[in-house]
């Protein structure tokens, strides 16, 4: 990489990090070209040298948040037994990530993301994230004849919706009231869906 490429990469990272900080702290409503530029310490005109608009930055942040979550999930579940137990462990780690970062949960599941990030890949990346985290284990379950393909698809769909719903109730309504009650409920629901 030459000096110009290094400088461009560094500048992009400043703007991406500023956007991530805004999303984690204040949520999508606070994301604007001016706010991002102010947070990064540059003029908003400079931002346009590297990104088309705030939508491009949100897309980059979604990718980064998913990479961050993926690394945490891998680290927390590497010793879990294969199959349904690992799917459960992955799902619980995924849930804990969003409890830790409610601003990211809002970005992924509450905000009308198409208002700001109208790119279809952004929406698709979010909608399939839990499936992708668990895909290797679903494939293992299918190979081991632990589940039929159509049942696996139904269980994946149930997990997506139940997990988002449980998180929504807990993060917005504090229902259940304590974190422990929430984790117990989440684990019970995930176990019920997986049948383990």
């Amino acid at each position: 990489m030459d000096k110009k490429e290094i400088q461009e990469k560094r500048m992009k990272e400043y703007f991406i990090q500023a956007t991530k900080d805004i999303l984690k702290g204040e949520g999508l409503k606070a994301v604007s070209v001016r706010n991002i530029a102010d947070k990064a310490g540059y003029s908003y005109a400079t931002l346009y040298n590297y990104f088309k608009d705030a939508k491009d930055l949100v897309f980059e942040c979604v990718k980064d948040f998913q990479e961050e979550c993926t690394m945490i999930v891998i680290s927390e579940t590497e010793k879990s037994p294969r199959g349904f137990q690992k799917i459960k462990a992955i799902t619980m780690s995924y849930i804990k990530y969003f409890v830790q970062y409610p601003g990211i949960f809002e970005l992924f599941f509450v905000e009308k993301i198409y208002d700001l990030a109208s790119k279809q890949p952004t929406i698709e990346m979010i909608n399939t994230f839990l499936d992708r985290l668990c895909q290797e284990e679903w494939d293992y379950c299918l190979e081991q004849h632990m589940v039929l393909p159509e049942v696996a698809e139904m269980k994946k769909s149930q997990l997506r919706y139940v997990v988002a719903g449980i998180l929504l109730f807990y993060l917005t309504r504090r229902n259940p009231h304590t974190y422990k009650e929430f984790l117990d409920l989440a684990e019970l629901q995930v176990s019920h869906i997986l049948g383990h």
Side-chain angles (χ1 to χ4, degrees):
M1 248 192 273
D2 65 20
K3 251 185 177 176
K4 186 177 179 195
E5 289 173 324
I6 292 169
Q7 176 66 17
E8 183 174 326
K9 184 177 182 201
R10 186 177 299 138
M11 290 298 289
K12 283 184 173 183
E13 280 301 315
Y14 291 148
F15 289 118
I16 291 168
Q17 188 58 52
T19 308
K20 286 169 64 176
D21 291 345
I22 291 168
L23 287 167
K24 278 183 174 179
E26 302 168 63
L28 188 60
K29 291 175 195 75
V31 171
S32 70
V33 170
R34 286 190 187 273
N35 285 350
I36 295 165
D38 286 348
K39 185 90 169 163
Y42 293 92
S43 76
Y44 72 91
T46 304
L47 184 145
Y48 286 116
N49 292 330
Y50 302 96
F51 297 95
K52 190 173 85 180
D53 54 23
K55 293 176 190 176
D56 282 346
L57 279 158
V58 169
F59 179 73
E60 292 300 321
C61 290
V62 167
K63 288 192 323 189
D64 279 7
F65 289 143
Q66 287 190 349
E67 286 173 19
E68 178 182 273
C69 180
T70 299
M71 297 312 294
I72 291 168
V73 167
I74 289 169
S75 170
E76 290 181 353
T77 64
E78 65 186 344
K79 293 182 178 159
S80 298
R82 302 257 1 231
F84 287 118
Q85 283 185 289
K86 188 142 187 173
I87 292 169
K88 180 179 173 181
I90 289 168
T91 304
M92 292 306 296
S93 179
Y94 171 91
I95 287 169
K96 290 173 188 172
Y97 175 81
F98 286 111
V99 171
Q100 185 177 356
Y101 300 110
I104 299 172
F105 174 79
E106 277 187 37
L107 171 66
F108 279 33
F109 298 105
V110 178
E111 297 289 350
K112 294 178 181 172
I113 198 156
Y114 53 81
D115 289 346
L116 186 60
S118 59
K119 294 180 170 194
Q120 188 57 35
T122 305
I123 296 166
E124 187 63 22
M125 275 176 32
I126 290 169
N127 291 343
T128 63
F129 184 37
L130 182 57
D131 292 350
R132 287 183 283 118
L133 283 173
C134 297
Q135 191 58 53
E136 193 175 309
E137 295 309 311
W138 283 115
D139 291 344
Y140 174 82
C141 289
L142 290 167
E143 289 164 11
Q144 298 298 313
H145 306 288
M146 298 165 78
V147 66
L148 296 170
E150 59 275 11
V151 174
E153 288 306 312
M154 182 187 67
K155 288 180 182 292
K156 284 184 202 177
S157 177
Q158 288 174 326
L159 275 179
R160 272 193 312 270
Y161 292 114
V162 167
V163 165
I166 289 171
L167 280 163
L168 181 66
F169 270 90
Y170 181 67
L171 293 173
T172 61
R173 303 285 185 264
R174 288 294 179 224
N175 184 0
H177 300 294
T178 70
Y179 182 64
K180 182 183 178 339
E181 289 174 321
F182 163 73
L183 285 181
D184 290 346
L185 176 64
E187 193 164 338
L188 183 69
Q189 294 295 323
V190 170
S191 295
H192 179 74
I193 291 167
L194 296 175
H196 287 80

